[in-house]
Structure formats: structure tokens, C-alpha cells
Amino acid sequence: VQLQASGGGLVQAGGSLRLSCAASRRTFAVGWFRQAPGKEREFVATISWSGDRILYADPVKGRFTIARDSAKNTMYLQMNSLKPEDTAVYYCAGGDYSRSSDYKKYAYWGQGTLVTVSS
């Protein structure tokens, strides 16, 4: 499975960005993780391709929304009210476990897209 993430960029605090992740084929679930400089990879959100199993990390609840377009094999992460602490490389991932925040449960990874939030 190949995953291609896009949509990162530079935005001011309080702004919005939408990340996209195009998959060559579906896996049971897809998710977003992020890694800031000097920090470990962090879970952001996950959704099953059926759309009925969604999980968010506490720091992004109420600000980020994960969604998928099954017809296009594409996943999205709408990020609103961005904060400087959201600055990181965001990775999309695919796996066969639903509602998992454990990066080890995801077998397939995209190349990452950089999100920078200025204060």
C-alpha cells in the first residue's frame, strides 16, 4: 500500500489547514500521526474506512476532524484553531486495526508533510 500525504504549509496561530492522504488501496483503518523536532511520534487521529470508528488524541479534540472519501481512497485531516504546538511533520498511515493509537499497529506509512504554525 502506498500513501501520499499533502497539504502541509505555514499558517498563523488560529488558522486552518487541510491535509490529504491518497492511498493506493484501502486498509481497514487509516490514521494521522505527527512528530515534532526532538520529540517522539505522536498519535493524532484515526478512522476506519467504513467511517464508523473514529478516535482523536486529547490535544486535538474539538479542533481537528478526520474524514475519508471511500470512492477516492483518500483520507483528510481538517485542522482548525491551530496552535504553535501543532507544528510537526504529519504522517498518514494505514493498518488493519481499528481505533488504534499505537503506531506499531500501522503497517503502511506515507512520506510526511510539514505543518508549521507561527505565533
Side-chain angles (χ1 to χ4, degrees), residues 1-117:
V1 178
Q2 294 182 335
L3 300 168
Q4 181 72 36
S6 61
L10 174 64
V11 64
Q12 289 187 334
S16 298
L17 280 175
R18 189 177 80 155
L19 305 183
S20 299
C21 178
S24 59
R25 68 166 178 84
R26 296 181 197 176
T27 53
F28 186 79
V30 287
W32 289 97
F33 290 77
R34 65 186 182 186
Q35 188 164 19
K39 295 187 177 181
E40 294 186 351
R41 187 167 12 187
E42 177 185 31
F43 168 74
V44 176
T46 183
I47 186 170
S48 60
W49 274 113
S50 63
D52 60 344
R53 301 180 183 184
I54 296 174
L55 180 67
Y56 293 100
D58 287 342
V60 308
K61 281 182 181 177
R63 299 188 298 122
F64 291 11
T65 301
I66 191 170
R68 86 284 175 266
D69 185 331
S70 298
K72 297 181 179 179
N73 279 2
T74 301
M75 171 179 62
Y76 304 97
L77 185 69
Q78 177 66 43
M79 304 185 296
N80 298 328
S81 302
L82 283 161
K83 304 175 181 180
E85 51 264 43
D86 294 319
T87 295
V89 176
Y90 284 70
Y91 297 91
C92 60
D96 296 323
Y97 297 88
S98 66
R99 292 177 59 84
S100 177
S101 61
D102 183 354
Y103 74 90
K104 296 187 291 295
K105 294 293 181 64
Y106 294 83
Y108 311 102
W109 291 84
Q111 85 288 1
T113 184
L114 177 62
V115 173
T116 303
V117 184

